[in-house]
Amino acid sequence: MEKQVKNILSRLKKINQTIQQPSFNNKNNNELLKKTMISLERILKYIKKE
């Protein structure tokens, strides 16, 4: 689980960096956002159970 949390944090950093760039490429970022949101949801559900 700790590895997943680190993964998500690094993805969130990537997303934040990309969003701030003027050449914001939608296709790649949508995929990244989707994966991150799914992982976040999983982790939050896990935390809720604990």
Side-chain angles (χ1 to χ4, degrees):
M1 189 48 66
E2 203 172 305
K3 191 180 176 190
Q4 274 184 301
V5 172
K6 284 180 183 175
N7 240 349
I8 286 184
L9 280 174
S10 75
R11 280 194 203 145
L12 284 172
K13 283 178 191 168
K14 269 187 207 170
I15 290 173
N16 284 334
Q17 286 172 352
T18 357
I19 287 175
Q20 287 166 24
Q21 291 172 3
S23 58
F24 184 65
N25 177 355
N26 270 343
K27 215 172 201 181
N28 297 337
N29 295 327
N30 279 345
E31 203 50 47
L32 189 66
L33 274 167
K34 241 185 262 176
K35 285 179 185 171
T36 306
M37 292 310 287
I38 289 168
S39 307
L40 267 173
E41 191 178 5
R42 281 187 196 143
I43 283 182
L44 288 172
K45 280 179 185 170
Y46 172 82
I47 291 171
K48 192 178 175 182
K49 282 181 189 174
E50 291 302 300

PDB file of all heavy atoms in Angstrom, residues 4-17:
ATOM      1  N   GLN A   4       1.935   2.133  -3.395  1.00  0.00           N
ATOM      2  CA  GLN A   4       0.858   2.761  -4.174  1.00  0.00           C
ATOM      3  C   GLN A   4       0.728   4.243  -3.829  1.00  0.00           C
ATOM      4  O   GLN A   4       0.522   5.069  -4.707  1.00  0.00           O
ATOM      5  CB  GLN A   4      -0.474   2.063  -3.894  1.00  0.00           C
ATOM      6  CG  GLN A   4      -0.700   0.855  -4.766  1.00  0.00           C
ATOM      7  CD  GLN A   4      -2.062   0.236  -4.535  1.00  0.00           C
ATOM      8  OE1 GLN A   4      -2.395  -0.170  -3.432  1.00  0.00           O
ATOM      9  NE2 GLN A   4      -2.852   0.182  -5.573  1.00  0.00           N
ATOM     10  N   VAL A   5       0.833   4.539  -2.546  1.00  0.00           N
ATOM     11  CA  VAL A   5       0.715   5.939  -2.118  1.00  0.00           C
ATOM     12  C   VAL A   5       1.825   6.763  -2.762  1.00  0.00           C
ATOM     13  O   VAL A   5       1.584   7.842  -3.303  1.00  0.00           O
ATOM     14  CB  VAL A   5       0.779   6.045  -0.578  1.00  0.00           C
ATOM     15  CG1 VAL A   5       0.846   7.494  -0.139  1.00  0.00           C
ATOM     16  CG2 VAL A   5      -0.421   5.360   0.045  1.00  0.00           C
ATOM     17  N   LYS A   6       3.047   6.243  -2.744  1.00  0.00           N
ATOM     18  CA  LYS A   6       4.181   6.948  -3.369  1.00  0.00           C
ATOM     19  C   LYS A   6       3.934   7.123  -4.863  1.00  0.00           C
ATOM     20  O   LYS A   6       4.223   8.174  -5.436  1.00  0.00           O
ATOM     21  CB  LYS A   6       5.477   6.185  -3.137  1.00  0.00           C
ATOM     22  CG  LYS A   6       6.004   6.358  -1.736  1.00  0.00           C
ATOM     23  CD  LYS A   6       7.284   5.587  -1.536  1.00  0.00           C
ATOM     24  CE  LYS A   6       7.772   5.713  -0.101  1.00  0.00           C
ATOM     25  NZ  LYS A   6       8.949   4.880   0.151  1.00  0.00           N
ATOM     26  N   ASN A   7       3.410   6.063  -5.491  1.00  0.00           N
ATOM     27  CA  ASN A   7       3.081   6.103  -6.910  1.00  0.00           C
ATOM     28  C   ASN A   7       2.126   7.244  -7.224  1.00  0.00           C
ATOM     29  O   ASN A   7       2.325   8.019  -8.162  1.00  0.00           O
ATOM     30  CB  ASN A   7       2.382   4.788  -7.284  1.00  0.00           C
ATOM     31  CG  ASN A   7       3.133   4.025  -8.334  1.00  0.00           C
ATOM     32  OD1 ASN A   7       4.056   4.553  -8.940  1.00  0.00           O
ATOM     33  ND2 ASN A   7       2.750   2.792  -8.526  1.00  0.00           N
ATOM     34  N   ILE A   8       1.063   7.313  -6.434  1.00  0.00           N
ATOM     35  CA  ILE A   8       0.050   8.335  -6.649  1.00  0.00           C
ATOM     36  C   ILE A   8       0.620   9.726  -6.434  1.00  0.00           C
ATOM     37  O   ILE A   8       0.359  10.645  -7.203  1.00  0.00           O
ATOM     38  CB  ILE A   8      -1.159   8.095  -5.722  1.00  0.00           C
ATOM     39  CG1 ILE A   8      -1.942   6.907  -6.278  1.00  0.00           C
ATOM     40  CG2 ILE A   8      -2.044   9.320  -5.645  1.00  0.00           C
ATOM     41  CD1 ILE A   8      -3.188   6.610  -5.547  1.00  0.00           C
ATOM     42  N   LEU A   9       1.421   9.883  -5.407  1.00  0.00           N
ATOM     43  CA  LEU A   9       2.032  11.185  -5.155  1.00  0.00           C
ATOM     44  C   LEU A   9       2.890  11.624  -6.336  1.00  0.00           C
ATOM     45  O   LEU A   9       2.819  12.778  -6.757  1.00  0.00           O
ATOM     46  CB  LEU A   9       2.880  11.132  -3.880  1.00  0.00           C
ATOM     47  CG  LEU A   9       2.097  11.234  -2.585  1.00  0.00           C
ATOM     48  CD1 LEU A   9       3.012  11.024  -1.392  1.00  0.00           C
ATOM     49  CD2 LEU A   9       1.374  12.548  -2.481  1.00  0.00           C
ATOM     50  N   SER A  10       3.651  10.699  -6.882  1.00  0.00           N
ATOM     51  CA  SER A  10       4.494  11.062  -8.019  1.00  0.00           C
ATOM     52  C   SER A  10       3.644  11.394  -9.243  1.00  0.00           C
ATOM     53  O   SER A  10       3.955  12.318  -9.995  1.00  0.00           O
ATOM     54  CB  SER A  10       5.507   9.966  -8.331  1.00  0.00           C
ATOM     55  OG  SER A  10       4.897   8.883  -8.951  1.00  0.00           O
ATOM     56  N   ARG A  11       2.541  10.654  -9.426  1.00  0.00           N
ATOM     57  CA  ARG A  11       1.641  10.963 -10.544  1.00  0.00           C
ATOM     58  C   ARG A  11       0.999  12.326 -10.365  1.00  0.00           C
ATOM     59  O   ARG A  11       0.873  13.099 -11.314  1.00  0.00           O
ATOM     60  CB  ARG A  11       0.539   9.909 -10.644  1.00  0.00           C
ATOM     61  CG  ARG A  11       0.993   8.667 -11.327  1.00  0.00           C
ATOM     62  CD  ARG A  11      -0.206   7.829 -11.692  1.00  0.00           C
ATOM     63  NE  ARG A  11       0.178   6.431 -11.837  1.00  0.00           N
ATOM     64  CZ  ARG A  11      -0.593   5.417 -11.497  1.00  0.00           C
ATOM     65  NH1 ARG A  11      -1.771   5.634 -10.975  1.00  0.00           N
ATOM     66  NH2 ARG A  11      -0.197   4.189 -11.676  1.00  0.00           N
ATOM     67  N   LEU A  12       0.585  12.613  -9.145  1.00  0.00           N
ATOM     68  CA  LEU A  12      -0.039  13.916  -8.869  1.00  0.00           C
ATOM     69  C   LEU A  12       0.951  15.046  -9.159  1.00  0.00           C
ATOM     70  O   LEU A  12       0.580  16.071  -9.729  1.00  0.00           O
ATOM     71  CB  LEU A  12      -0.515  13.991  -7.414  1.00  0.00           C
ATOM     72  CG  LEU A  12      -1.792  13.221  -7.101  1.00  0.00           C
ATOM     73  CD1 LEU A  12      -2.054  13.211  -5.619  1.00  0.00           C
ATOM     74  CD2 LEU A  12      -2.982  13.798  -7.850  1.00  0.00           C
ATOM     75  N   LYS A  13       2.205  14.844  -8.793  1.00  0.00           N
ATOM     76  CA  LYS A  13       3.232  15.850  -9.091  1.00  0.00           C
ATOM     77  C   LYS A  13       3.352  16.042 -10.594  1.00  0.00           C
ATOM     78  O   LYS A  13       3.427  17.168 -11.079  1.00  0.00           O
ATOM     79  CB  LYS A  13       4.577  15.434  -8.502  1.00  0.00           C
ATOM     80  CG  LYS A  13       4.657  15.658  -7.011  1.00  0.00           C
ATOM     81  CD  LYS A  13       5.990  15.171  -6.468  1.00  0.00           C
ATOM     82  CE  LYS A  13       5.976  15.153  -4.946  1.00  0.00           C
ATOM     83  NZ  LYS A  13       7.131  14.433  -4.393  1.00  0.00           N
ATOM     84  N   LYS A  14       3.374  14.918 -11.334  1.00  0.00           N
ATOM     85  CA  LYS A  14       3.453  14.983 -12.797  1.00  0.00           C
ATOM     86  C   LYS A  14       2.275  15.769 -13.355  1.00  0.00           C
ATOM     87  O   LYS A  14       2.427  16.629 -14.219  1.00  0.00           O
ATOM     88  CB  LYS A  14       3.421  13.576 -13.399  1.00  0.00           C
ATOM     89  CG  LYS A  14       4.754  12.951 -13.604  1.00  0.00           C
ATOM     90  CD  LYS A  14       4.561  11.629 -14.365  1.00  0.00           C
ATOM     91  CE  LYS A  14       5.679  10.658 -14.053  1.00  0.00           C
ATOM     92  NZ  LYS A  14       5.406   9.315 -14.565  1.00  0.00           N
ATOM     93  N   ILE A  15       1.077  15.438 -12.865  1.00  0.00           N
ATOM     94  CA  ILE A  15      -0.136  16.105 -13.345  1.00  0.00           C
ATOM     95  C   ILE A  15      -0.048  17.601 -13.074  1.00  0.00           C
ATOM     96  O   ILE A  15      -0.324  18.418 -13.952  1.00  0.00           O
ATOM     97  CB  ILE A  15      -1.388  15.501 -12.679  1.00  0.00           C
ATOM     98  CG1 ILE A  15      -1.615  14.079 -13.207  1.00  0.00           C
ATOM     99  CG2 ILE A  15      -2.616  16.374 -12.940  1.00  0.00           C
ATOM    100  CD1 ILE A  15      -2.714  13.322 -12.499  1.00  0.00           C
ATOM    101  N   ASN A  16       0.364  17.964 -11.874  1.00  0.00           N
ATOM    102  CA  ASN A  16       0.477  19.378 -11.532  1.00  0.00           C
ATOM    103  C   ASN A  16       1.467  20.095 -12.428  1.00  0.00           C
ATOM    104  O   ASN A  16       1.226  21.211 -12.862  1.00  0.00           O
ATOM    105  CB  ASN A  16       0.876  19.540 -10.065  1.00  0.00           C
ATOM    106  CG  ASN A  16      -0.289  19.275  -9.136  1.00  0.00           C
ATOM    107  OD1 ASN A  16      -1.443  19.433  -9.516  1.00  0.00           O
ATOM    108  ND2 ASN A  16       0.019  18.855  -7.934  1.00  0.00           N
ATOM    109  N   GLN A  17       2.590  19.444 -12.718  1.00  0.00           N
ATOM    110  CA  GLN A  17       3.582  20.039 -13.609  1.00  0.00           C
ATOM    111  C   GLN A  17       3.030  20.202 -15.018  1.00  0.00           C
ATOM    112  O   GLN A  17       3.198  21.244 -15.644  1.00  0.00           O
ATOM    113  CB  GLN A  17       4.842  19.165 -13.664  1.00  0.00           C
ATOM    114  CG  GLN A  17       5.689  19.262 -12.417  1.00  0.00           C
ATOM    115  CD  GLN A  17       6.819  18.247 -12.410  1.00  0.00           C
ATOM    116  OE1 GLN A  17       6.885  17.364 -13.271  1.00  0.00           O
ATOM    117  NE2 GLN A  17       7.693  18.355 -11.430  1.00  0.00           N
TER     118      GLN A  17
END
